[in-house]
Amino acid sequence: MNKNIKRTISPYLALIFIIAVVYLISGMGSKVNKLTYSEFQKNLSNNKVVELSISPNSEGSTYNIEGKLKGYDKNEYFYVVAPLSDDTLNYINKMQEKNKFALEVSADPASSTFMKFIVNVLPYILIGGLLIWFFNKQVSNNNKSMDFGKSRAKLQEDKNKVTFKDVAGLSEEKEELEELIEFLKDPKKFTKMGARIPKGVLLVGQPGTGKTLLAKAVAGEANAPFYFISGSDFVELFVGIGASRVRDMFRQAKQTAPCLIFIDEIDAVGRQRGTGLGGGHDEREQTLNQLLTEMDGFGRNEGIIIIAATNRPDVLDPALLRPGRFDRQITVSLPDAKGREEILEVHARDKILSKDVKLSYIAKRTVGFSGADLENLLNEAALLAVRRGKNEITMSEIDEAQDRVIAGPAKKSRKYTEHEKKVVAYHEAGHAVVGIKLDGANDVQKITIIPRGVAGGYNLMLPKEETYMSTKNELLESISGFLGGRVAEELIFNEVTTGAHNDFERATKIARSMVTEYGMSSLGPVQFEHQESSVFLGRDYNKSRNFSDAVALEIDEEVRKIISEQYEITKKIISENRDLLDLIANALLKYETITKEQIDYLVEHGKMPEEDNEKKEETLSELKEEAKELGIKGYSKLNKEELEKIINEKKNNE
C-alpha cells in the first residue's frame, strides 16, 4: 500500500478502533428486556433468576432491579422497577436463600447514580470528545489558511552567532557596516545629533562572495535580534498573502526593535513592476508595494534596519533603491589574493594541513574563486585525504581538489588512442608556448592530458597579474593564448579537431566585447551593446536595436578581423618556437601532468626536473664506484662535487 494512503487512513482506523472499544466496555451492544413486577415475581418463584442487582433510584421511591434469567445470552439482561419497601427486600432475600442465585444490593442512591453516569453517559462524552479532537487535527493539518498571513521570518538563535572574525577578505565591506552596529548598540548617539541611520542596506555581489555571512556578522557584532527570510517566502498561491506576511514581519520586528531583518534573494519579490509579457505578477507586485510602504511610508518603523542580498540589482524596482528605503548599496566583490589567503586561513582552522601547504601559494593560484569556492576547495582536499588514508592534507590533495572544482573529476578509465593522446598533448602545449612568449597572454599554471569532465585535456591559465582593467594589447594577446591550441594542431598534424570549441568561444567573446563595448576597433569609441542582459522576456521580446544592419555587418567583420589577425600572429609564434612546442608536448606524453614550476624548469634547462635528478643520481652512483676502486675512505657520505674534487686530486697525485 502507498505510504501516503496509509498516512491518510490511519487516523480513521484509530478512531474506529477507539469507538469499538468504548462500545464494548459500555455495554451498548447488550439486549435489555423490560419486565413488570408481577413477571419478575413469577420468574423469581420459578427459580429462573441467575443473578440480581438491586439499587434505589435517585428519588428514593422505587428500586431499580437488573438481572439475568436462565437461557439469556451473554449480553442479555432484564430490567424491572419494584416498590421501595422492606417487604420487597425481604421477599427477594427469602427467594435468594431458597434458589441460591447471585444477589447484589446497593443501599446508596448516589453511588447508583454515579455508576449510571459512568456506564451510560461517560462513553458518549468520550466519543464526542474524540470526534472533536480528530476533526480539529484534520483541519489543522489539511487547511492552514488561518496561518497563511503569518510571517515566515525566523529569529536567529544565539548558538549560531557569527562575528566579523568569521568573515575574511571583506575589509572595506565590514567598515561600511560598522556604522549600523554602532546604531544598534547605541541608537541615541545618532538621534541626538539629528542623524538618520540608513533604513536599508543592499548587498550586491556574485554568488558565494559572503553576502549572507556578512549580514549574520552584523547581527552578531551588534548583539541584536536578527530575523532572516528569503524573498520567495513572501509569495504564495493566494493573492494578498505576501503583503500580509510583510505586515506581520514588521509587526514582530517592532516588538524587538532595534533589530535587523535580512531578506535573502530579494529580487524574487523586488523585481521591477509592470514587466514581462502580459504585464506583471499581481501577487508579487502587491507584496513589493507593501514592502515599500513599510520601509518608508506614512507609518514609521524606527529601529528596524533591512539588509537585503541579491546578485541581480539591475532587475530591482527603482522605488526600492531610492534613498529612504535602500540608502546604501555595498558591492561584495570577489576577493583578491590577500583576501583569498585570509579566507583560506578561516576555513583551514579545523583542517589538518601538512607543513608543505602554503596558503599564500594556493591564494595566488585561485584567481576568480569566491569564498564559497575556497571553502569547497579545502573540503574537497580533506575528503581526498581521508579517501587516500592520509593523516594530513598535502599539496597533492589540494592540487587535485582544485582540478575537481574547476573541471570535474579525472576520467582515468577513459582511454585515448595514441594519436588522440598526441593531438591533445600538442594542443595543450600550444597554449603554453603562447603564454610563455607573450607578456599579455594568460600564464599556464598546470597542464594535464588526463580527461576531466567533458574535456579531453585541461589547461589552467591565469593572468600573470591581478588587475582591475585590461589594455587593448593584453586582450589581443589573451585571444592569441586561446588560439594556441588550434594553431598547434594545424601546424603539427595538418588537420584540425573539435577540441578548440571552448577556446574559440572565449576568444570570440573577448573580440566582440572589444568592438561593441570597449570601443577598441576601427568603428570608434561607440558602445553598441552592454554587458547586462535583461531577464524579462517581455523586455527582450520587443527590444529595439540601437544600430542598423550595415553597422551589424561591420561589427561582424571587425570581430572576424581581430580573430584572424591574432590567429596569424599565433601561428608565427608557434612556428618560431617549434622546439619548445615539441619539448612541452613530449613531456606531457611522458608525465601526463606538468605544473608551472616544471614548465619553467623545462624552458630553462631543456629537460624536466625529474630527468635532471635521475641523471645526477646516476652520475653520483658512478663517482662512488670510482672512489671505491681508488680506495677513498668515507666516500659514501660525500656529495657529487666533493667526490669529483677528491677523485681529481687523487688522479693528479698518481
Side-chain angles (χ1 to χ4, degrees), residues 426-444 447 459 461 464 476-488 566-567 569-575 577 580-581 584:
Y426 273 95
H427 179 101
E428 303 300 341
H431 291 302
V433 170
V434 179
I436 292 168
K437 295 301 177 181
L438 293 180
D439 294 333
N442 289 339
D443 210 0
V444 177
I447 311 174
N459 197 325
M461 301 170 66
K464 291 182 172 64
L476 292 173
E477 292 186 351
S478 295
I479 293 173
S480 294
F482 289 125
L483 298 175
R486 167 56 69 85
V487 171
Q566 294 309 120
Y567 194 87
I569 292 172
T570 305
K571 187 180 290 187
K572 181 180 179 182
I573 292 170
I574 292 181
S575 299
N577 295 275
L580 180 58
L581 179 71
I584 296 175

mmCIF file of all heavy atoms in Angstrom, residues 426-444 447 459 461 464 476-488 566-567 569-575 577 580-581 584:
data_model
loop_
_atom_site.group_PDB
_atom_site.id
_atom_site.type_symbol
_atom_site.label_atom_id
_atom_site.label_comp_id
_atom_site.label_asym_id
_atom_site.label_seq_id
_atom_site.Cartn_x
_atom_site.Cartn_y
_atom_site.Cartn_z
ATOM 1 N N TYR A 426 49.861 18.155 -27.946
ATOM 2 C CA TYR A 426 50.318 19.308 -28.726
ATOM 3 C C TYR A 426 49.337 20.478 -28.615
ATOM 4 O O TYR A 426 49.752 21.646 -28.643
ATOM 5 C CB TYR A 426 50.523 18.907 -30.194
ATOM 6 C CG TYR A 426 51.904 18.359 -30.468
ATOM 7 C CD1 TYR A 426 52.144 16.995 -30.461
ATOM 8 C CD2 TYR A 426 52.972 19.225 -30.705
ATOM 9 C CE1 TYR A 426 53.419 16.484 -30.700
ATOM 10 C CE2 TYR A 426 54.246 18.739 -30.945
ATOM 11 C CZ TYR A 426 54.467 17.370 -30.938
ATOM 12 O OH TYR A 426 55.737 16.880 -31.166
ATOM 13 N N HIS A 427 48.050 20.174 -28.496
ATOM 14 C CA HIS A 427 47.059 21.247 -28.320
ATOM 15 C C HIS A 427 47.351 22.031 -27.033
ATOM 16 O O HIS A 427 47.413 23.269 -27.049
ATOM 17 C CB HIS A 427 45.654 20.633 -28.270
ATOM 18 C CG HIS A 427 44.565 21.639 -28.058
ATOM 19 N ND1 HIS A 427 43.776 22.105 -29.079
ATOM 20 C CD2 HIS A 427 44.131 22.295 -26.938
ATOM 21 C CE1 HIS A 427 42.913 22.993 -28.606
ATOM 22 N NE2 HIS A 427 43.102 23.107 -27.300
ATOM 23 N N GLU A 428 47.528 21.313 -25.931
ATOM 24 C CA GLU A 428 47.781 21.991 -24.655
ATOM 25 C C GLU A 428 49.160 22.656 -24.655
ATOM 26 O O GLU A 428 49.341 23.725 -24.059
ATOM 27 C CB GLU A 428 47.675 20.990 -23.499
ATOM 28 C CG GLU A 428 46.342 20.249 -23.403
ATOM 29 C CD GLU A 428 45.163 21.182 -23.211
ATOM 30 O OE1 GLU A 428 45.368 22.340 -22.798
ATOM 31 O OE2 GLU A 428 44.022 20.763 -23.480
ATOM 32 N N ALA A 429 50.123 22.036 -25.315
ATOM 33 C CA ALA A 429 51.464 22.646 -25.403
ATOM 34 C C ALA A 429 51.409 23.947 -26.188
ATOM 35 O O ALA A 429 52.153 24.895 -25.902
ATOM 36 C CB ALA A 429 52.433 21.667 -26.054
ATOM 37 N N GLY A 430 50.529 24.039 -27.185
ATOM 38 C CA GLY A 430 50.381 25.276 -27.957
ATOM 39 C C GLY A 430 49.950 26.434 -27.073
ATOM 40 O O GLY A 430 50.458 27.562 -27.199
ATOM 41 N N HIS A 431 48.987 26.188 -26.160
ATOM 42 C CA HIS A 431 48.593 27.235 -25.212
ATOM 43 C C HIS A 431 49.790 27.683 -24.370
ATOM 44 O O HIS A 431 49.987 28.874 -24.123
ATOM 45 C CB HIS A 431 47.495 26.713 -24.280
ATOM 46 C CG HIS A 431 46.180 26.480 -24.962
ATOM 47 N ND1 HIS A 431 45.504 27.463 -25.627
ATOM 48 C CD2 HIS A 431 45.407 25.356 -25.054
ATOM 49 C CE1 HIS A 431 44.362 26.970 -26.114
ATOM 50 N NE2 HIS A 431 44.295 25.693 -25.787
ATOM 51 N N ALA A 432 50.568 26.694 -23.919
ATOM 52 C CA ALA A 432 51.696 27.010 -23.040
ATOM 53 C C ALA A 432 52.749 27.851 -23.753
ATOM 54 O O ALA A 432 53.290 28.808 -23.172
ATOM 55 C CB ALA A 432 52.318 25.710 -22.526
ATOM 56 N N VAL A 433 53.058 27.536 -24.987
ATOM 57 C CA VAL A 433 54.091 28.275 -25.733
ATOM 58 C C VAL A 433 53.687 29.742 -25.890
ATOM 59 O O VAL A 433 54.495 30.651 -25.676
ATOM 60 C CB VAL A 433 54.328 27.617 -27.111
ATOM 61 C CG1 VAL A 433 55.201 28.518 -27.984
ATOM 62 C CG2 VAL A 433 54.981 26.254 -26.946
ATOM 63 N N VAL A 434 52.433 29.996 -26.262
ATOM 64 C CA VAL A 434 51.979 31.384 -26.426
ATOM 65 C C VAL A 434 52.007 32.113 -25.089
ATOM 66 O O VAL A 434 52.392 33.286 -25.010
ATOM 67 C CB VAL A 434 50.557 31.410 -27.028
ATOM 68 C CG1 VAL A 434 50.070 32.853 -27.164
ATOM 69 C CG2 VAL A 434 50.539 30.729 -28.392
ATOM 70 N N GLY A 435 51.602 31.429 -24.002
ATOM 71 C CA GLY A 435 51.638 32.050 -22.683
ATOM 72 C C GLY A 435 53.043 32.409 -22.240
ATOM 73 O O GLY A 435 53.253 33.410 -21.548
ATOM 74 N N ILE A 436 54.016 31.602 -22.646
ATOM 75 C CA ILE A 436 55.409 31.872 -22.279
ATOM 76 C C ILE A 436 55.976 33.037 -23.086
ATOM 77 O O ILE A 436 56.692 33.893 -22.559
ATOM 78 C CB ILE A 436 56.263 30.594 -22.499
ATOM 79 C CG1 ILE A 436 55.857 29.512 -21.478
ATOM 80 C CG2 ILE A 436 57.748 30.908 -22.377
ATOM 81 C CD1 ILE A 436 56.416 28.146 -21.797
ATOM 82 N N LYS A 437 55.653 33.118 -24.366
ATOM 83 C CA LYS A 437 56.271 34.093 -25.253
ATOM 84 C C LYS A 437 55.578 35.455 -25.269
ATOM 85 O O LYS A 437 56.195 36.442 -25.664
ATOM 86 C CB LYS A 437 56.310 33.536 -26.685
ATOM 87 C CG LYS A 437 57.207 32.314 -26.829
ATOM 88 C CD LYS A 437 58.639 32.648 -26.422
ATOM 89 C CE LYS A 437 59.555 31.439 -26.485
ATOM 90 N NZ LYS A 437 60.933 31.779 -26.068
ATOM 91 N N LEU A 438 54.302 35.550 -24.858
ATOM 92 C CA LEU A 438 53.590 36.827 -24.852
ATOM 93 C C LEU A 438 53.341 37.283 -23.418
ATOM 94 O O LEU A 438 52.816 36.525 -22.598
ATOM 95 C CB LEU A 438 52.256 36.702 -25.597
ATOM 96 C CG LEU A 438 52.325 36.446 -27.107
ATOM 97 C CD1 LEU A 438 50.921 36.347 -27.685
ATOM 98 C CD2 LEU A 438 53.103 37.550 -27.808
ATOM 99 N N ASP A 439 53.728 38.507 -23.116
ATOM 100 C CA ASP A 439 53.569 39.020 -21.752
ATOM 101 C C ASP A 439 52.096 39.205 -21.375
ATOM 102 O O ASP A 439 51.714 39.036 -20.219
ATOM 103 C CB ASP A 439 54.301 40.363 -21.615
ATOM 104 C CG ASP A 439 55.806 40.202 -21.751
ATOM 105 O OD1 ASP A 439 56.299 39.103 -21.430
ATOM 106 O OD2 ASP A 439 56.472 41.170 -22.165
ATOM 107 N N GLY A 440 51.261 39.565 -22.353
ATOM 108 C CA GLY A 440 49.862 39.842 -22.039
ATOM 109 C C GLY A 440 48.983 38.615 -22.006
ATOM 110 O O GLY A 440 47.835 38.679 -21.536
ATOM 111 N N ALA A 441 49.478 37.489 -22.515
ATOM 112 C CA ALA A 441 48.674 36.271 -22.525
ATOM 113 C C ALA A 441 48.604 35.671 -21.124
ATOM 114 O O ALA A 441 49.448 35.936 -20.270
ATOM 115 C CB ALA A 441 49.264 35.255 -23.501
ATOM 116 N N ASN A 442 47.582 34.854 -20.893
ATOM 117 C CA ASN A 442 47.449 34.198 -19.599
ATOM 118 C C ASN A 442 48.585 33.221 -19.374
ATOM 119 O O ASN A 442 49.070 32.566 -20.296
ATOM 120 C CB ASN A 442 46.110 33.455 -19.500
ATOM 121 C CG ASN A 442 44.945 34.419 -19.382
ATOM 122 O OD1 ASN A 442 45.122 35.568 -19.001
ATOM 123 N ND2 ASN A 442 43.751 33.947 -19.705
ATOM 124 N N ASP A 443 49.014 33.137 -18.121
ATOM 125 C CA ASP A 443 50.121 32.264 -17.745
ATOM 126 C C ASP A 443 49.583 30.866 -17.491
ATOM 127 O O ASP A 443 48.579 30.696 -16.798
ATOM 128 C CB ASP A 443 50.780 32.808 -16.475
ATOM 129 C CG ASP A 443 52.248 32.466 -16.427
ATOM 130 O OD1 ASP A 443 52.721 31.832 -17.370
ATOM 131 O OD2 ASP A 443 52.902 32.822 -15.429
ATOM 132 N N VAL A 444 50.258 29.868 -18.026
ATOM 133 C CA VAL A 444 49.836 28.485 -17.827
ATOM 134 C C VAL A 444 50.355 28.000 -16.484
ATOM 135 O O VAL A 444 51.559 27.972 -16.234
ATOM 136 C CB VAL A 444 50.344 27.583 -18.963
ATOM 137 C CG1 VAL A 444 49.956 26.135 -18.702
ATOM 138 C CG2 VAL A 444 49.781 28.042 -20.290
ATOM 139 N N ILE A 447 49.163 21.876 -16.755
ATOM 140 C CA ILE A 447 48.658 21.226 -17.961
ATOM 141 C C ILE A 447 48.508 19.736 -17.669
ATOM 142 O O ILE A 447 49.385 19.125 -17.062
ATOM 143 C CB ILE A 447 49.607 21.400 -19.164
ATOM 144 C CG1 ILE A 447 50.026 22.853 -19.338
ATOM 145 C CG2 ILE A 447 48.957 20.899 -20.434
ATOM 146 C CD1 ILE A 447 51.070 23.052 -20.404
ATOM 147 N N ASN A 459 43.816 22.745 -19.135
ATOM 148 C CA ASN A 459 44.908 23.719 -19.100
ATOM 149 C C ASN A 459 44.493 24.865 -18.182
ATOM 150 O O ASN A 459 43.577 25.622 -18.500
ATOM 151 C CB ASN A 459 45.177 24.238 -20.524
ATOM 152 C CG ASN A 459 46.519 24.921 -20.630
ATOM 153 O OD1 ASN A 459 46.970 25.568 -19.699
ATOM 154 N ND2 ASN A 459 47.157 24.789 -21.791
ATOM 155 N N MET A 461 44.923 28.293 -17.018
ATOM 156 C CA MET A 461 45.566 29.527 -17.476
ATOM 157 C C MET A 461 45.047 30.685 -16.636
ATOM 158 O O MET A 461 43.837 30.912 -16.553
ATOM 159 C CB MET A 461 45.261 29.762 -18.957
ATOM 160 C CG MET A 461 45.718 28.631 -19.854
ATOM 161 S SD MET A 461 45.107 28.784 -21.552
ATOM 162 C CE MET A 461 45.963 30.254 -22.086
ATOM 163 N N LYS A 464 48.849 36.846 -15.481
ATOM 164 C CA LYS A 464 50.141 36.967 -14.801
ATOM 165 C C LYS A 464 50.035 37.862 -13.579
ATOM 166 O O LYS A 464 50.736 37.670 -12.592
ATOM 167 C CB LYS A 464 51.189 37.514 -15.780
ATOM 168 C CG LYS A 464 51.556 36.530 -16.893
ATOM 169 C CD LYS A 464 52.628 37.100 -17.803
ATOM 170 C CE LYS A 464 53.145 36.057 -18.784
ATOM 171 N NZ LYS A 464 52.144 35.568 -19.721
ATOM 172 N N LEU A 476 44.263 41.397 -26.808
ATOM 173 C CA LEU A 476 44.660 40.741 -28.060
ATOM 174 C C LEU A 476 45.562 39.540 -27.787
ATOM 175 O O LEU A 476 45.413 38.479 -28.415
ATOM 176 C CB LEU A 476 45.373 41.745 -28.972
ATOM 177 C CG LEU A 476 44.508 42.872 -29.546
ATOM 178 C CD1 LEU A 476 45.378 43.885 -30.286
ATOM 179 C CD2 LEU A 476 43.433 42.315 -30.486
ATOM 180 N N GLU A 477 46.482 39.692 -26.853
ATOM 181 C CA GLU A 477 47.386 38.584 -26.536
ATOM 182 C C GLU A 477 46.652 37.452 -25.815
ATOM 183 O O GLU A 477 47.020 36.281 -25.946
ATOM 184 C CB GLU A 477 48.562 39.095 -25.713
ATOM 185 C CG GLU A 477 49.483 40.009 -26.521
ATOM 186 C CD GLU A 477 50.742 40.408 -25.763
ATOM 187 O OE1 GLU A 477 50.816 40.123 -24.552
ATOM 188 O OE2 GLU A 477 51.638 40.994 -26.381
ATOM 189 N N SER A 478 45.608 37.798 -25.057
ATOM 190 C CA SER A 478 44.784 36.750 -24.440
ATOM 191 C C SER A 478 44.082 35.930 -25.511
ATOM 192 O O SER A 478 43.972 34.704 -25.408
ATOM 193 C CB SER A 478 43.755 37.373 -23.492
ATOM 194 O OG SER A 478 44.377 38.001 -22.399
ATOM 195 N N ILE A 479 43.607 36.624 -26.565
ATOM 196 C CA ILE A 479 42.985 35.910 -27.682
ATOM 197 C C ILE A 479 43.995 34.970 -28.327
ATOM 198 O O ILE A 479 43.677 33.820 -28.656
ATOM 199 C CB ILE A 479 42.425 36.916 -28.706
ATOM 200 C CG1 ILE A 479 41.260 37.701 -28.100
ATOM 201 C CG2 ILE A 479 41.977 36.203 -29.981
ATOM 202 C CD1 ILE A 479 40.742 38.829 -28.970
ATOM 203 N N SER A 480 45.230 35.439 -28.500
ATOM 204 C CA SER A 480 46.275 34.585 -29.079
ATOM 205 C C SER A 480 46.504 33.348 -28.217
ATOM 206 O O SER A 480 46.704 32.237 -28.731
ATOM 207 C CB SER A 480 47.585 35.367 -29.209
ATOM 208 O OG SER A 480 47.450 36.402 -30.154
ATOM 209 N N GLY A 481 46.471 33.543 -26.892
ATOM 210 C CA GLY A 481 46.648 32.406 -25.992
ATOM 211 C C GLY A 481 45.572 31.352 -26.179
ATOM 212 O O GLY A 481 45.852 30.142 -26.175
ATOM 213 N N PHE A 482 44.323 31.783 -26.382
ATOM 214 C CA PHE A 482 43.233 30.832 -26.591
ATOM 215 C C PHE A 482 43.350 30.127 -27.940
ATOM 216 O O PHE A 482 42.903 28.992 -28.092
ATOM 217 C CB PHE A 482 41.883 31.550 -26.505
ATOM 218 C CG PHE A 482 41.518 31.980 -25.110
ATOM 219 C CD1 PHE A 482 41.214 33.301 -24.831
ATOM 220 C CD2 PHE A 482 41.486 31.068 -24.076
ATOM 221 C CE1 PHE A 482 40.883 33.701 -23.559
ATOM 222 C CE2 PHE A 482 41.153 31.453 -22.789
ATOM 223 C CZ PHE A 482 40.849 32.778 -22.525
ATOM 224 N N LEU A 483 43.937 30.795 -28.923
ATOM 225 C CA LEU A 483 44.059 30.212 -30.264
ATOM 226 C C LEU A 483 45.264 29.290 -30.400
ATOM 227 O O LEU A 483 45.409 28.610 -31.424
ATOM 228 C CB LEU A 483 44.158 31.327 -31.309
ATOM 229 C CG LEU A 483 42.954 32.267 -31.411
ATOM 230 C CD1 LEU A 483 43.249 33.385 -32.410
ATOM 231 C CD2 LEU A 483 41.703 31.510 -31.832
ATOM 232 N N GLY A 484 46.137 29.263 -29.390
ATOM 233 C CA GLY A 484 47.370 28.483 -29.487
ATOM 234 C C GLY A 484 47.140 27.001 -29.705
ATOM 235 O O GLY A 484 47.899 26.336 -30.424
ATOM 236 N N GLY A 485 46.093 26.437 -29.087
ATOM 237 C CA GLY A 485 45.837 25.005 -29.238
ATOM 238 C C GLY A 485 45.485 24.625 -30.665
ATOM 239 O O GLY A 485 46.031 23.657 -31.216
ATOM 240 N N ARG A 486 44.577 25.379 -31.285
ATOM 241 C CA ARG A 486 44.185 25.078 -32.660
ATOM 242 C C ARG A 486 45.367 25.262 -33.619
ATOM 243 O O ARG A 486 45.562 24.444 -34.537
ATOM 244 C CB ARG A 486 43.018 25.973 -33.068
ATOM 245 C CG ARG A 486 42.694 25.996 -34.563
ATOM 246 C CD ARG A 486 42.415 24.612 -35.143
ATOM 247 N NE ARG A 486 41.178 24.034 -34.664
ATOM 248 C CZ ARG A 486 39.986 24.265 -35.203
ATOM 249 N NH1 ARG A 486 39.881 25.068 -36.263
ATOM 250 N NH2 ARG A 486 38.918 23.680 -34.714
ATOM 251 N N VAL A 487 46.152 26.312 -33.434
ATOM 252 C CA VAL A 487 47.306 26.552 -34.313
ATOM 253 C C VAL A 487 48.293 25.393 -34.227
ATOM 254 O O VAL A 487 48.836 24.934 -35.243
ATOM 255 C CB VAL A 487 47.984 27.886 -33.942
ATOM 256 C CG1 VAL A 487 49.305 28.033 -34.691
ATOM 257 C CG2 VAL A 487 47.070 29.061 -34.250
ATOM 258 N N ALA A 488 48.543 24.882 -33.015
ATOM 259 C CA ALA A 488 49.478 23.766 -32.847
ATOM 260 C C ALA A 488 48.964 22.516 -33.560
ATOM 261 O O ALA A 488 49.743 21.790 -34.202
ATOM 262 C CB ALA A 488 49.675 23.481 -31.362
ATOM 263 N N GLN A 566 45.021 37.800 -34.999
ATOM 264 C CA GLN A 566 45.672 37.138 -33.868
ATOM 265 C C GLN A 566 45.989 35.682 -34.205
ATOM 266 O O GLN A 566 46.978 35.138 -33.705
ATOM 267 C CB GLN A 566 44.785 37.209 -32.624
ATOM 268 C CG GLN A 566 44.580 38.621 -32.090
ATOM 269 C CD GLN A 566 45.899 39.357 -31.894
ATOM 270 O OE1 GLN A 566 46.136 40.398 -32.487
ATOM 271 N NE2 GLN A 566 46.773 38.787 -31.087
ATOM 272 N N TYR A 567 45.211 35.078 -35.073
ATOM 273 C CA TYR A 567 45.498 33.706 -35.480
ATOM 274 C C TYR A 567 46.824 33.649 -36.241
ATOM 275 O O TYR A 567 47.635 32.736 -36.035
ATOM 276 C CB TYR A 567 44.358 33.180 -36.354
ATOM 277 C CG TYR A 567 44.371 31.686 -36.564
ATOM 278 C CD1 TYR A 567 43.755 30.831 -35.670
ATOM 279 C CD2 TYR A 567 45.011 31.133 -37.683
ATOM 280 C CE1 TYR A 567 43.761 29.465 -35.869
ATOM 281 C CE2 TYR A 567 45.033 29.767 -37.890
ATOM 282 C CZ TYR A 567 44.403 28.934 -36.978
ATOM 283 O OH TYR A 567 44.432 27.581 -37.175
ATOM 284 N N ILE A 569 49.282 35.845 -35.985
ATOM 285 C CA ILE A 569 50.354 36.142 -35.020
ATOM 286 C C ILE A 569 50.682 34.891 -34.214
ATOM 287 O O ILE A 569 51.862 34.569 -33.981
ATOM 288 C CB ILE A 569 49.934 37.302 -34.093
ATOM 289 C CG1 ILE A 569 49.837 38.609 -34.892
ATOM 290 C CG2 ILE A 569 50.899 37.444 -32.927
ATOM 291 C CD1 ILE A 569 49.251 39.761 -34.107
ATOM 292 N N THR A 570 49.651 34.164 -33.782
ATOM 293 C CA THR A 570 49.852 32.944 -33.002
ATOM 294 C C THR A 570 50.573 31.887 -33.835
ATOM 295 O O THR A 570 51.468 31.186 -33.340
ATOM 296 C CB THR A 570 48.489 32.394 -32.526
ATOM 297 O OG1 THR A 570 47.787 33.404 -31.825
ATOM 298 C CG2 THR A 570 48.674 31.192 -31.622
ATOM 299 N N LYS A 571 50.210 31.787 -35.089
ATOM 300 C CA LYS A 571 50.853 30.813 -35.969
ATOM 301 C C LYS A 571 52.351 31.119 -36.123
ATOM 302 O O LYS A 571 53.188 30.203 -36.126
ATOM 303 C CB LYS A 571 50.163 30.827 -37.340
ATOM 304 C CG LYS A 571 50.643 29.744 -38.287
ATOM 305 C CD LYS A 571 49.922 29.822 -39.631
ATOM 306 C CE LYS A 571 48.473 29.417 -39.500
ATOM 307 N NZ LYS A 571 47.805 29.337 -40.844
ATOM 308 N N LYS A 572 52.671 32.404 -36.214
ATOM 309 C CA LYS A 572 54.079 32.803 -36.336
ATOM 310 C C LYS A 572 54.860 32.467 -35.064
ATOM 311 O O LYS A 572 55.997 31.970 -35.125
ATOM 312 C CB LYS A 572 54.147 34.304 -36.632
ATOM 313 C CG LYS A 572 55.560 34.824 -36.814
ATOM 314 C CD LYS A 572 55.554 36.318 -37.092
ATOM 315 C CE LYS A 572 56.986 36.840 -37.241
ATOM 316 N NZ LYS A 572 57.019 38.302 -37.459
ATOM 317 N N ILE A 573 54.252 32.729 -33.895
ATOM 318 C CA ILE A 573 54.933 32.467 -32.624
ATOM 319 C C ILE A 573 55.228 30.979 -32.465
ATOM 320 O O ILE A 573 56.349 30.580 -32.105
ATOM 321 C CB ILE A 573 54.075 32.976 -31.443
ATOM 322 C CG1 ILE A 573 53.996 34.497 -31.463
ATOM 323 C CG2 ILE A 573 54.627 32.487 -30.108
ATOM 324 C CD1 ILE A 573 52.985 35.060 -30.479
ATOM 325 N N ILE A 574 54.246 30.144 -32.746
ATOM 326 C CA ILE A 574 54.438 28.708 -32.547
ATOM 327 C C ILE A 574 55.403 28.145 -33.588
ATOM 328 O O ILE A 574 56.209 27.253 -33.288
ATOM 329 C CB ILE A 574 53.073 27.991 -32.575
ATOM 330 C CG1 ILE A 574 52.249 28.393 -31.347
ATOM 331 C CG2 ILE A 574 53.243 26.480 -32.635
ATOM 332 C CD1 ILE A 574 50.896 27.743 -31.250
ATOM 333 N N SER A 575 55.358 28.661 -34.805
ATOM 334 C CA SER A 575 56.299 28.186 -35.834
ATOM 335 C C SER A 575 57.730 28.514 -35.442
ATOM 336 O O SER A 575 58.644 27.702 -35.659
ATOM 337 C CB SER A 575 55.966 28.829 -37.185
ATOM 338 O OG SER A 575 54.664 28.478 -37.599
ATOM 339 N N ASN A 577 58.879 28.787 -32.490
ATOM 340 C CA ASN A 577 59.256 28.083 -31.253
ATOM 341 C C ASN A 577 58.829 26.619 -31.323
ATOM 342 O O ASN A 577 58.313 26.058 -30.351
ATOM 343 C CB ASN A 577 58.596 28.761 -30.052
ATOM 344 C CG ASN A 577 59.088 30.178 -29.827
ATOM 345 O OD1 ASN A 577 60.111 30.406 -29.187
ATOM 346 N ND2 ASN A 577 58.349 31.149 -30.368
ATOM 347 N N LEU A 580 60.386 24.319 -28.646
ATOM 348 C CA LEU A 580 59.753 24.427 -27.329
ATOM 349 C C LEU A 580 58.415 23.697 -27.316
ATOM 350 O O LEU A 580 58.061 23.036 -26.335
ATOM 351 C CB LEU A 580 59.561 25.899 -26.974
ATOM 352 C CG LEU A 580 58.912 26.200 -25.609
ATOM 353 C CD1 LEU A 580 59.721 25.599 -24.483
ATOM 354 C CD2 LEU A 580 58.741 27.703 -25.417
ATOM 355 N N LEU A 581 57.683 23.786 -28.427
ATOM 356 C CA LEU A 581 56.404 23.083 -28.528
ATOM 357 C C LEU A 581 56.610 21.573 -28.415
ATOM 358 O O LEU A 581 55.883 20.897 -27.669
ATOM 359 C CB LEU A 581 55.737 23.422 -29.872
ATOM 360 C CG LEU A 581 54.395 22.752 -30.152
ATOM 361 C CD1 LEU A 581 53.310 23.338 -29.261
ATOM 362 C CD2 LEU A 581 54.004 22.927 -31.625
ATOM 363 N N ILE A 584 57.604 20.570 -24.697
ATOM 364 C CA ILE A 584 56.488 20.529 -23.734
ATOM 365 C C ILE A 584 55.541 19.380 -24.069
ATOM 366 O O ILE A 584 55.066 18.668 -23.172
ATOM 367 C CB ILE A 584 55.734 21.876 -23.739
ATOM 368 C CG1 ILE A 584 56.652 23.002 -23.250
ATOM 369 C CG2 ILE A 584 54.482 21.798 -22.874
ATOM 370 C CD1 ILE A 584 56.041 24.390 -23.343
#
